[in-house]
Amino acid sequence: MHYLSIDIGGTYIKFGLIDRAGNFIQTWRQPTPKSLDRFKDTIQSELKGQEGKIKGIAMSCPGRIDSTKGYIHTGGALLFLYNFPMKEWITSISDLPFAIINDGKAAALAEWWIGNLKGIENGAAVVLGTGIGGGLILDNHLHQGPNFQAGELSFLIRHPSNPKQPQILGFYGSAVKFMKEATTILDVPKDDHQTVFTAIADQASTTLTALFENYCREIAILLIDMQVLLDLEKIVIGGGISAQDDLIEMIRIQYSTIRQEEPMLGETFAPLIIEACAFRNSSNLLGALYQLFVEIDNQHS
């Protein structure tokens, strides 16, 4: 028997059957519902389909998640999940062990467990999606903070050139917003990542190239801020868009460019290692499962 891991995103809910060693047996996804009732129907249907086949349920979710109580205080862009007692509800429909954790923290746990943060004592995962999620590994453990909000990178403040635009970084660093603007430039479907990144590689549009470089510079500035504040060794990039190697490379280029523009950065701080998450868009599923293992082990100790 395996474990069912669930990653709730703004566009899709992803599901994964995973074994104890972190190997994926099967993955699939469903569109994210727009109401709590439909969300419950989707989860109940998936759990019923796995009845007798799994021995635990793990979940990652955007927003402020109290992982000790299994309570969703805020659900990011998913307003119907605000102030929802997820663990209480899941345990009312299943007697299997259950754990829930913020999606950015889940990504960090996955990479720290068996991914590209393995062996790193001070590092982070940055997840590019509807907003920007984050998970911090500090002094060799996941740092959640007293309010479970450490790493909520979307809420960092930037000074927009247009005063009518939002000031929070989640607006500028949103991969969903970038893709919407990029596909509009090319006049292709909004989820056509391949066409966008092929056009970027071919330099088919100067407007698209400028948009891409500016987006990656925004992320590079974020990584520098994190490095300066927390003295990190390595940051890994997750989210669906992280599957594009050109994105990771351009973030590295922009990071190096900024260090050259500000010589004191290069003189004061060692170069930060920047990589994609080893499990790319599946990190959240793995990290949520690792959180379940931690909670099960704590109960038995």
Side-chain angles (χ1 to χ4, degrees), residues 28-101:
W28 66 100
R29 69 183 188 179
Q30 298 278 9
T32 302
K34 304 302 182 184
S35 70
L36 183 58
D37 286 342
R38 290 185 178 181
F39 170 82
K40 286 182 174 181
D41 289 344
T42 297
I43 299 301
Q44 283 183 288
S45 175
E46 293 293 342
L47 292 183
K48 186 175 181 180
Q50 299 300 324
E51 195 170 356
K53 302 176 185 178
I54 58 174
K55 52 185 177 181
I57 306 163
M59 183 179 289
S60 76
C61 181
R64 180 187 168 199
I65 313 297
D66 183 335
S67 56
T68 58
K69 296 179 181 178
Y71 189 88
I72 302 177
H73 290 279
T74 65
L78 303 174
L79 300 183
F80 62 83
L81 287 179
Y82 278 50
N83 299 309
F84 182 62
M86 182 65 78
K87 187 169 187 175
E88 179 181 309
W89 176 66
I90 290 289
T91 54
S92 74
I93 61 173
S94 172
D95 58 1
L96 295 174
F98 172 78
I100 183 172
I101 192 168

Side-chain angles (χ1 to χ4, degrees), residues 22-296:
N23 299 306
F24 283 92
I25 309 304
Q26 182 184 357
T27 59
W28 66 100
R29 69 183 188 179
Q30 298 278 9
T32 302
K34 304 302 182 184
S35 70
L36 183 58
D37 286 342
R38 290 185 178 181
F39 170 82
K40 286 182 174 181
D41 289 344
T42 297
I43 299 301
Q44 283 183 288
S45 175
E46 293 293 342
L47 292 183
K48 186 175 181 180
Q50 299 300 324
E51 195 170 356
K53 302 176 185 178
I54 58 174
K55 52 185 177 181
I57 306 163
M59 183 179 289
S60 76
C61 181
R64 180 187 168 199
I65 313 297
D66 183 335
S67 56
T68 58
K69 296 179 181 178
Y71 189 88
I72 302 177
H73 290 279
T74 65
L78 303 174
L79 300 183
F80 62 83
L81 287 179
Y82 278 50
N83 299 309
F84 182 62
M86 182 65 78
K87 187 169 187 175
E88 179 181 309
W89 176 66
I90 290 289
T91 54
S92 74
I93 61 173
S94 172
D95 58 1
L96 295 174
F98 172 78
I100 183 172
I101 192 168
N102 166 270
D103 53 2
K105 295 172 180 62
L109 280 178
E111 296 299 314
W112 189 50
W113 175 26
I114 51 176
N116 284 340
L117 290 178
K118 187 175 178 63
I120 296 294
E121 294 188 2
N122 293 280
V126 171
V127 181
L128 306 177
T130 305
I132 307 178
L136 306 174
I137 302 298
L138 302 179
D139 296 327
N140 218 29
H141 74 275
L142 177 69
H143 180 72
Q144 298 207 63
N147 297 302
F148 302 93
Q149 290 179 291
E152 288 292 329
L153 303 173
S154 281
F155 296 95
L156 293 172
I157 298 297
R158 291 289 185 263
H159 295 290
S161 55
N162 182 350
K164 294 183 179 180
Q165 290 182 332
Q167 296 186 70
I168 60 171
L169 180 59
F171 177 78
Y172 301 96
S174 167
V176 172
K177 178 176 177 291
F178 165 74
M179 285 302 303
K180 181 178 180 181
E181 293 176 352
T183 52
T184 298
I185 290 170
L186 298 176
D187 193 24
V188 297
K190 64 181 180 179
D191 59 350
D192 191 351
H193 289 208
Q194 190 58 51
T195 296
V196 167
F197 280 92
T198 298
I200 288 170
D202 293 342
Q203 297 185 328
S205 164
T206 55
T207 304
L208 178 60
T209 297
L211 175 72
F212 178 58
E213 291 179 353
N214 288 337
Y215 176 74
C216 291
R217 184 179 177 89
E218 197 68 63
I219 303 306
I221 291 171
L222 167 63
L223 303 192
I224 288 172
D225 288 348
M226 294 173 69
Q227 179 186 16
V228 169
L229 184 63
L230 299 169
D231 192 17
L232 303 177
E233 312 163 59
K234 187 176 186 179
I235 297 179
V236 294
I237 309 296
I241 200 170
S242 70
Q244 304 295 333
D245 292 335
D246 286 345
L247 175 90
I248 306 302
E249 183 57 28
M250 181 53 69
I251 292 172
R252 290 192 189 114
I253 289 170
Q254 294 297 327
Y255 173 86
S256 297
T257 299
I258 295 168
R259 284 171 59 89
Q260 292 168 8
E261 294 169 351
E262 299 292 340
M264 287 189 66
L265 277 173
E267 294 167 3
T268 308
F269 293 90
L272 181 69
I273 301 171
I274 302 169
E275 294 181 357
C277 286
F279 301 102
R280 304 283 176 139
N281 203 26
S282 298
S283 291
N284 296 358
L285 293 169
L286 281 170
L289 180 59
Y290 185 78
Q291 177 67 20
L292 176 63
F293 293 157
V294 168
E295 294 187 17
I296 290 173

